[in-house]
């Protein structure tokens, strides 16, 4: 194995079969130094699901506790409404997951049932730790601040064989001084509804008649014969009980049903569902309606429900005034976050200008890795409406601003906007410019970067510009970094493109001391200049101000008085303007320990400021996190003039399948409808994970084979299949996997996955990875005439490597390409340490010979993005070259996709 420097290449000892003999020089794959697909942004806590759980009517006000989901964790939120339609939500969950290792609720708190007993609010809810679920308990004086009971109050029990695996989805009422609970139990195969009673809400006595309600079984024609979940029991004025629940039958789409009882134990279900999904393509509830919540106010009955579109669940409302249920035309009444996330991690300073009707701001949005520039409008300087997309993004790979475009300084002159901003390539900060006629569509200046202190290899860098007109030219105030400290610098220009730095420090920090950074300068009406900036001292961050008669010579800085009402908050990077009434307005960065946002203050003199009381005037954007923890292997298909990459996205808990496209295989664009294959419906074989897809195209139809697993013991990792006409919208071909684990005692009797399918003639050929109960992965083989019914070889076609070899503990992630009548198998292997990528060759695809005795692709340098492991190869042969996309992760196990390829013309 030959590995060059991290940014250069790795050699692959592959001999191209020019004449079928596989003689000739080795073929080299050069590894690109940077990943080609990075993880996406993290999700807000309710970006995937908002599901109603409990509604209480108090003094004519609707109070709702609901479940929010970000693709990773379920949490409990709270909202209020006067009409049941327009809801005001609490900004954060009112009951969050636990954080202690081993706690029952580290992954999920969901489906709350809330009761007010006249003195306090009581909540029973589903808790989960990723292994099993149970029912927890909490109390509150106001329904907002909750104290959780230390342990679950209802656990799965082996003495209840119908519910020994999980208990969840409680529905509780208080009647005659006793609490009555209906809950869902699961035994690994079937779900049912059980019943329990309690004197105090903590110690529960289960009914001997459990389960008291369940699927209708094999009742012919029943709409809910396969599954019932999410019961909500209501005590009726006539003394009876009504249970609202979600059920499904042959259609595999949830609908909302109703059952009645005189005692809460013996139930009679209605023959037809009360509310069915609107199966209109693209509708927000086309894939099912579930989680019903019933309430009555006056003569009107309200039914809130969760509507599922195949990926997300939103809350809708139907009402009944005595003439049947009618959905609201304005549904959904509670939506998920929109998932637009270019500014989700932090908001930084930019520029504010007065415009007709208010103010215009250009600001910096940060994802945690990349910074871009956005714009927003406000009529009052406090309430801002942001444009959903950034107006300036980082440049192309290799450019001076490829990582960050940030901290814009904008002026308006001669009918155009001119912007100067900080650019960063991961190593050096420089200043560039852009121009626009409307403030939205910008063109970067061809002279960029226009100011570069690092030119020539020096240690100095320049960032955070503030530009004003001075005399007949321009003055730029900026932060200068010399490798040791930061100071304020200044440069002059006649045209805004060519800049000459002014030597020395332009402002003395005065009595405040410290280092000065983040300057902001205003040209005042009397011809003088005023500067505000941040002093960074051992005692913290302070705002200071200084004055100048000409913008060149400045006096000592004086401290600005800005009361910060909460300890631990950092305030810095001011931007200031003065209105026609002489009132100073300041927008500035605030950091609270997790993120940065923009706050607002006003002043009459520019020294003493009154902060706006609210947390933020411009806050970070919502997040969509289905692939935020990593992007991993899948398959690449050359389709016409574009590459299509179906890949595995990880959110910290599970995998889903997304799509990205490219014209060159290096620069990829995620599809806006990602993930294109989400988890299967709850209770299905693939409702826990879908990953590592392999896509082929035949007769205009895309066919995807993928790995998946369910949340139940009878759904181990297996292989499924789906089809699509466009590669985006997929239909599963079967309700069960097309290939599961092999026979007991076989090499693949516990798990299988990572499918690799090739169509040859009238047969499909499948290579896959299989594991036994000891966790040893090997590569197996199967064949099929239709891609659904498969016949497998009983033994592996690629076994573990010899003792002491790099792949002696595991071989997996198979990917096969064909070249000149022979087969090349790229695969992942390990000896118990790092994962590497190897190669084997074959004449028939069944009997394989390893190439050389080493891996062909090793991890990168320690500390690099691919320094821990490389795996999941995705090869493509085109124009006599091999392009190998692969998965890599660093020491923090953040997955990315990289590319290695043979140089053009290599033979």
């Amino acid at each position: 194995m030959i590995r060059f420097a991290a940014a250069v290449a790795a050699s692959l000892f592959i001999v191209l079969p020019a004449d079928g003999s596989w003689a000739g020089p080795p073929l080299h794959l050069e590894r690109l130094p940077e990943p080609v697909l990075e993880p996406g942004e993290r999700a807000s806590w309710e970006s995937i699901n908002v599901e109603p759980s409990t509604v209480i009517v108090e003094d004519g006000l609707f109070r709702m506790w609901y479940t929010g989901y970000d693709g990773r964790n379920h949490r409990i939120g709270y909202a209020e409404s006067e009409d049941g339609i327009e809801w005001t939500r609490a900004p954060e969950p009112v009951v969050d997951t636990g954080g202690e290792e081993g706690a029952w609720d580290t992954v999920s708190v969901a489906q709350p049932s809330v009761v007010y007993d006249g003195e306090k609010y009581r909540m029973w809810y589903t808790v989960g730790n990723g292994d099993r679920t149970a029912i927890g308990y909490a109390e509150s004086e106001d329904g907002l601040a909750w104290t959780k009971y230390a342990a679950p109050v209802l656990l799965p029990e082996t003495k209840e064989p119908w519910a020994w695996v999980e208990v969840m989805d409680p529905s509780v009422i208080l009647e005659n001084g006793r609490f009555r609970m209906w809950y869902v139990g699961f035994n690994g195969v079937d779900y049912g509804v059980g019943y329990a009673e309690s004197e105090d809400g903590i110690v529960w006595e289960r009914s001997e008649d459990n389960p008291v309600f369940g699927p209708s079984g094999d009742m012919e024609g029943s709409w809910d014969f396969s599954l019932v979940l999410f019961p909500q029991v209501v005590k009726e004025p006539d003394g009876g009980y009504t249970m609202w629940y979600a059920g499904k039958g042959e259609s595999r789409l949830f609908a909302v049903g109703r059952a009645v009882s005189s005692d809460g134990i013996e139930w009679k279900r209605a023959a037809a569902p009360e509310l069915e999904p609107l199966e209109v393509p693209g509708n927000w509830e086309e894939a099912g309606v579930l989680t019903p919540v019933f309430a009555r106010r006056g003569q009107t009955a309200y039914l809130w429900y969760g509507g599922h579109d195949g990926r997300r669940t939103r809350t809708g409302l139907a009402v009944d005034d005595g003439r049947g249920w009618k959905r609201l035309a304005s549904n959904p009444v509670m939506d998920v976050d929109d998932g637009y996330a270019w500014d989700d991690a932090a908001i930084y300073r930019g520029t504010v200008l007065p415009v007709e009707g208010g103010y215009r701001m250009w600001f910096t949005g940060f994802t945690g890795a990349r910074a871009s520039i956005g714009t927003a409008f406000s009529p009052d300087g406090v309430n801002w409406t942001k444009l959903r997309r950034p107006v300036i993004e980082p440049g192309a790979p290799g450019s001076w601003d490829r990582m960050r475009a940030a901290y814009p300084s904008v002026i308006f002159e001669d009918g155009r906007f001119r912007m100067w901003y900080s650019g960063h390539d991961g190593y050096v900060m420089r200043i560039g410019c852009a121009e626009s006629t409307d403030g939205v569509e910008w063109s970067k200046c061809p002279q960029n970067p226009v100011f570069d202190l690092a030119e020539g290899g020096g240690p100095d860098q320049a960032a955070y510009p503030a530009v004003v007109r001075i005399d007949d030219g321009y003055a730029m105030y900026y932060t200068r970094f010399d490798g040791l400290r930061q100071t304020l610098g200044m440069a002059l220009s006649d045209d805004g493109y060519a800049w000459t730095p002014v030597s020395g420090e332009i402002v003395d920090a005065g009595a405040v001391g410290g280092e000065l950074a983040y300057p902001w300068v205003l040209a005042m009406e009397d011809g003088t200049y005023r500067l505000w900036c941040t002093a960074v001292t051992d005692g913290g961050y302070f705002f200071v101000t200084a004055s100048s008669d000409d913008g060149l010579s400045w006096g000592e800085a004086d401290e600005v008085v800005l009361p910060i009402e909460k300890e631990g908050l950092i305030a810095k990077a001011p931007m200031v303007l003065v209105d026609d009434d002489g009132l100073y307005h300041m927008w500035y960065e605030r950091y609270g320990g997790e993120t940065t946002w923009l706050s607002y203050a006003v002043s009459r003199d520019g020294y003493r400021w009154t902060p706006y009381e609210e947390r933020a005037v411009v806050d970070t954007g919502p997040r969509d996190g289905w692939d935020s923890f990593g992007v991993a292997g899948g398959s690449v298909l050359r389709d016409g003039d574009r590459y299509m990459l179906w890949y595995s996205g990880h959110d910290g808990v599970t995998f889903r399948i997304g799509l990205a496209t490219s014209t060159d295989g290096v620069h990829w664009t995620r599809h806006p409808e990602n993930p294109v294959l989400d988890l299967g419906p709850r209770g299905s074989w693939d409702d826990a994970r879908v990953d590592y897809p392999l896509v082929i195209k035949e007769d205009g139809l895309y066919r995807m084979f993928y790995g998946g697993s369910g949340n139940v013991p009878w759904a181990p990792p297996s292989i499924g299949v789906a089809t699509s006409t466009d590669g985006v919208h997929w239909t599963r071909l079967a309700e069960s996997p097309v290939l599961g684990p092999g026979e007991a005692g076989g090499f693949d009797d516990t798990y299988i996955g990572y499918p690799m399918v090739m169509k040859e003639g009238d047969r499909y050929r499948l290579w896959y990875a299989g594991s036994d109960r000891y966790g040893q992965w090997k590569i197996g083989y199967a064949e099929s005439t239709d891609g659904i019914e498969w016949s497998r070889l009983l033994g592996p076609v690629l076994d573990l490597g010899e003792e002491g070899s790099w792949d002696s503990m595991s071989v997996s992630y198979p990917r096969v390409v064909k070249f000149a009548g022979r087969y090349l198998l790229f695969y992942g292997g390990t000896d118990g340490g790092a994962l590497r990528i190897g190669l084997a060759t074959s004449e028939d695809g069944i009997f394989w010979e390893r190439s050389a005795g080493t891996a062909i692709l090793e991890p990168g340098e320690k500390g690099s993005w691919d320094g821990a492991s490389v795996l999941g190869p995705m090869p493509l042969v085109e124009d006599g070259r091999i392009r190998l996309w692969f998965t890599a992760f660093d020491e923090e196990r953040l997955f990315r996709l990289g590319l290695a390829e043979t140089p053009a013309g290599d033979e």
Side-chain angles (χ1 to χ4, degrees):
M1 176 70 201
I2 299 175
R3 180 152 52 81
F4 296 94
V8 186
S11 285
L12 279 176
F13 286 96
I14 307 172
V15 182
L16 287 178
D19 58 2
S21 63
W22 287 86
L27 176 70
H28 298 284
L29 281 184
E30 293 187 353
R31 177 168 20 196
L32 272 65
E34 299 292 336
V36 297
L37 196 64
E38 291 270 12
E41 292 78 27
R42 292 173 295 176
S44 67
W45 72 275
E46 53 181 344
S47 62
I48 301 297
N49 293 355
V50 284
E51 299 177 346
S53 300
T54 296
V55 173
I56 293 178
V57 181
E58 289 184 341
D59 300 325
L61 183 71
F62 294 102
R63 305 187 68 184
M64 177 189 289
W65 292 265
Y66 66 95
T67 304
Y69 179 56
D70 61 2
R72 184 181 327 172
N73 302 108
H74 291 87
R75 299 174 173 89
I76 295 171
Y78 173 79
E80 293 182 352
S81 175
E82 294 182 354
D83 58 7
I85 302 172
E86 299 290 335
W87 292 88
T88 301
R89 286 184 261 189
E92 300 294 337
V94 294
V95 180
D96 209 336
T97 53
E100 299 181 4
E101 186 175 354
W104 266 91
D105 59 353
T106 54
V107 172
S108 177
V109 291
Q111 296 303 321
S113 178
V114 178
V115 170
Y116 182 63
D117 65 6
E119 295 181 356
K120 58 187 173 184
Y121 295 86
R122 298 171 177 261
M123 177 191 292
W124 297 264
Y125 57 97
T126 305
V127 297
N129 61 4
D131 182 19
R132 289 186 178 181
T133 63
I135 293 174
Y137 175 71
E139 294 182 352
S140 173
E141 297 295 328
D142 58 6
L144 299 176
W146 292 87
T147 300
K148 292 191 284 188
Y149 195 67
V153 296
L154 200 72
L155 289 162
E157 286 194 359
T158 55
K159 66 181 181 182
E160 281 200 318
W162 71 277
W164 69 273
V165 175
E166 294 181 340
V167 291
M168 55 192 171
D169 302 342
S171 176
V172 180
I173 64 174
L174 177 59
E175 184 178 14
N176 300 324
R178 289 180 64 83
F179 295 97
R180 307 185 66 184
M181 178 194 291
W182 293 263
Y183 62 95
V184 172
F186 178 59
N187 64 3
V189 178
D190 298 314
Y191 292 85
V193 176
Y195 172 73
E197 292 188 1
S198 174
E199 294 284 350
D200 58 5
I202 297 175
V203 179
W204 291 87
E205 182 180 351
R206 292 165 163 91
S207 171
E208 295 181 356
D209 297 322
N210 281 341
V212 297
F213 187 75
S216 57
D218 59 359
M219 292 173 60
E220 186 174 354
S222 173
W223 67 274
D224 63 349
F225 73 85
S226 68
L227 192 63
V228 296
L229 291 170
F230 309 112
Q232 190 216 9
V233 176
V234 178
K235 180 67 179 295
E236 299 291 355
D238 62 5
Y241 303 84
T242 299
M243 178 190 295
W244 301 90
Y245 66 96
K248 65 178 180 179
E250 289 185 359
S251 72
R252 298 191 65 79
L253 297 183
F254 275 106
V256 171
R258 183 174 64 91
V260 295
S261 173
S262 60
D263 58 5
I265 305 296
E266 299 289 336
W267 293 92
K268 182 179 180 180
R269 57 179 23 97
E274 292 283 316
L275 203 66
E276 296 186 86
L278 294 176
E279 295 185 59
V280 178
N283 187 272
W284 69 278
E285 53 173 294
E286 65 172 309
V289 290
L290 60 165
T291 59
V293 175
F294 177 89
R296 185 179 283 109
R297 187 172 69 174
Q299 300 300 312
T300 303
Y302 297 79
L303 185 66
W304 294 272
Y305 61 94
H308 189 54
D309 64 4
R311 181 191 175 197
R312 287 172 160 157
T313 303
R314 301 164 171 86
T315 296
L317 172 63
V319 296
D320 183 0
D321 57 3
R323 293 174 292 182
W325 293 106
K326 296 181 177 61
R327 286 173 165 90
L328 265 66
S330 58
N331 276 342
V333 297
M334 287 180 62
D335 207 343
V336 296
D337 281 347
D338 61 16
Y340 201 76
W342 70 274
D343 61 347
D344 75 291
I347 295 289
Y348 298 129
R349 193 191 78 177
T351 296
V352 177
L353 293 180
V355 295
E356 184 177 355
Y359 302 90
R360 185 74 168 273
M361 178 190 294
W362 293 266
F363 63 92
T364 306
F366 188 51
T367 67
R370 287 165 52 91
S372 304
I373 295 170
T375 188
F377 173 79
S378 172
D380 55 10
V382 175
N383 300 292
W384 292 87
T385 300
K386 292 188 291 185
L387 186 69
R388 286 170 54 91
R389 62 176 176 86
V391 297
I392 291 186
E393 297 189 81
S399 63
W400 70 280
D401 60 350
R402 69 180 181 89
M403 292 293 292
R404 299 179 187 179
Y407 282 89
S409 175
V410 180
I411 65 174
F412 183 75
E413 61 177 3
D414 300 328
R416 63 174 176 164
F417 294 94
R418 304 190 68 183
M419 176 192 294
W420 293 265
Y421 67 95
S422 298
H424 192 217
D425 62 1
Y427 304 97
V428 178
M429 291 181 289
R430 303 173 176 91
I431 293 173
C433 68
E435 298 178 349
S436 172
T437 58
D438 60 5
V440 176
E441 302 298 333
W442 292 84
S443 298
K444 294 181 180 180
C445 301
Q447 300 93 334
N448 279 345
V450 297
F451 191 60
D452 183 5
L453 290 181
E455 191 173 12
D460 289 355
Q461 302 181 42
Y464 317 127
V467 176
V468 296
R469 289 302 304 261
I470 185 169
D471 296 330
D472 294 330
Y474 303 84
M476 177 194 296
Y477 308 87
Y478 61 92
T479 303
R480 179 173 57 223
F481 300 86
D482 64 5
L484 297 174
R485 61 192 299 266
Q486 53 189 353
T487 56
L488 295 189
M490 188 172 82
L492 301 175
S493 174
D494 292 331
D495 57 8
Y497 303 118
W499 293 88
T500 302
V502 176
S503 61
E505 297 186 19
I506 63 170
V507 177
D508 187 335
V512 179
E515 301 176 6
L516 302 184
Y518 311 106
W520 187 265
V521 177
L522 285 183
M524 310 301 288
E525 286 189 353
D526 61 4
T528 63
Y529 295 85
R530 189 80 179 271
L531 176 146
W532 293 263
C533 66
T534 304
V536 183
T537 74
D538 292 339
Y541 290 75
F542 300 92
F543 285 164
V544 296
T545 185
S547 299
S548 172
D549 291 332
D550 57 7
L552 302 175
S553 302
W554 296 83
E556 279 192 0
D558 294 324
E559 184 176 350
V560 167
V561 178
L562 179 68
I564 301 296
E565 66 276 11
K566 185 176 179 180
E567 292 186 8
L569 289 179
I570 293 175
K572 61 186 180 69
M575 47 184 172
V576 181
L577 63 80
V578 183
D579 65 22
D580 294 338
D581 296 326
L583 184 67
Y584 290 80
H585 303 258
M586 179 197 292
W587 295 266
Y588 59 97
E589 293 179 12
R590 291 274 291 276
Y591 175 71
E594 293 184 356
T595 188
T596 301
W597 63 92
L598 294 184
S599 287
Y600 173 69
V602 295
S603 172
R604 279 295 175 186
D605 58 9
Y607 288 95
R608 290 170 292 276
W609 294 85
T610 301
Y612 181 66
E613 293 181 356
E614 297 296 329
R615 175 187 182 275
V617 294
V618 179
D619 211 344
T620 52
R623 305 168 184 179
D624 187 0
W626 75 275
D627 62 351
S628 60
F629 273 63
V631 288
S635 65
V636 178
L637 180 68
R638 182 68 182 267
D639 194 9
D641 60 356
R642 66 174 177 168
Y643 296 86
M644 301 182 73
L645 164 64
W646 291 270
Y647 65 95
S648 310
H650 198 248
D651 62 5
V653 173
T654 191
F655 281 101
R656 296 171 175 83
I657 293 171
L659 170 65
T661 58
S662 173
T663 57
D664 60 6
V666 178
H667 308 102
W668 294 89
T669 301
R670 286 174 166 84
H671 197 278
E673 296 184 44
N674 276 344
V676 296
L677 190 72
D678 209 334
L679 306 179
R682 185 173 181 176
S684 63
W685 76 273
D686 58 354
D687 69 350
R689 176 183 60 87
V690 291
D691 63 9
Y692 284 88
L694 187 286
V695 178
I696 62 175
K697 189 177 183 182
E698 50 180 338
D699 300 325
L701 186 70
Y702 298 92
R703 187 182 291 253
M704 176 192 291
F705 300 86
Y706 65 94
S709 63
N711 282 304
V712 292
W714 51 264
S718 303
I719 294 172
V721 63
T723 60
S724 171
T725 58
D726 58 7
V728 178
H729 305 96
W730 293 88
T731 301
R732 288 169 166 86
L733 288 190
E735 295 182 357
S736 58
V738 296
L739 194 68
E743 296 179 359
F747 79 97
D748 59 353
D749 66 354
T750 304
Y751 307 123
I752 69 167
Y754 313 112
M756 166 65 218
V757 176
M758 180 182 294
K759 180 74 178 294
E760 289 188 330
D762 59 356
R763 65 173 176 163
Y764 295 89
R765 307 189 69 184
L766 166 67
W767 295 265
Y768 65 92
S771 170
D772 58 18
R773 61 193 178 97
Y774 300 108
Q776 290 189 327
W777 288 86
K778 303 172 183 178
I779 293 175
Y781 176 78
E783 291 187 357
S784 172
T785 58
D786 60 5
I788 298 177
E789 299 292 335
W790 293 88
S791 299
R792 79 178 90 206
L793 291 180
L794 294 181
V797 293
L798 190 70
D799 211 326
L800 302 178
E802 295 180 357
E803 185 176 354
S805 66
W806 70 273
D807 57 354
S808 60
M809 294 290 289
S810 175
V811 292
S812 186
Y813 308 105
R815 284 294 183 262
V816 178
V817 293
K818 201 172 181 183
F819 189 90
R822 291 181 66 94
Y823 300 86
L824 279 66
L825 167 63
F826 296 84
Y827 66 95
T830 181
D831 58 3
L835 287 160
R836 300 169 172 86
I837 292 176
L839 175 71
T841 62
S842 172
E843 294 183 357
D844 58 8
I846 296 177
F847 297 97
W848 295 91
E849 181 179 352
R850 284 172 165 83
S851 176
T854 61
I856 60 169
L857 199 65
E858 295 270 358
E861 298 294 337
K862 184 176 178 61
S864 64
W865 66 275
D866 58 351
S869 281
V870 292
L871 62 151
M874 295 176 282
L876 186 67
V877 177
E878 59 175 0
D879 302 327
R881 303 172 63 195
I882 293 180
R883 310 191 75 183
L884 184 71
W885 292 267
F886 60 92
T887 305
F889 60 85
D890 55 20
E891 280 77 5
E892 296 182 357
R893 295 193 64 83
L894 186 64
F895 288 80
R896 299 173 172 91
L897 294 184
L899 172 62
E901 54 189 355
T902 58
D906 194 10
E907 296 182 355

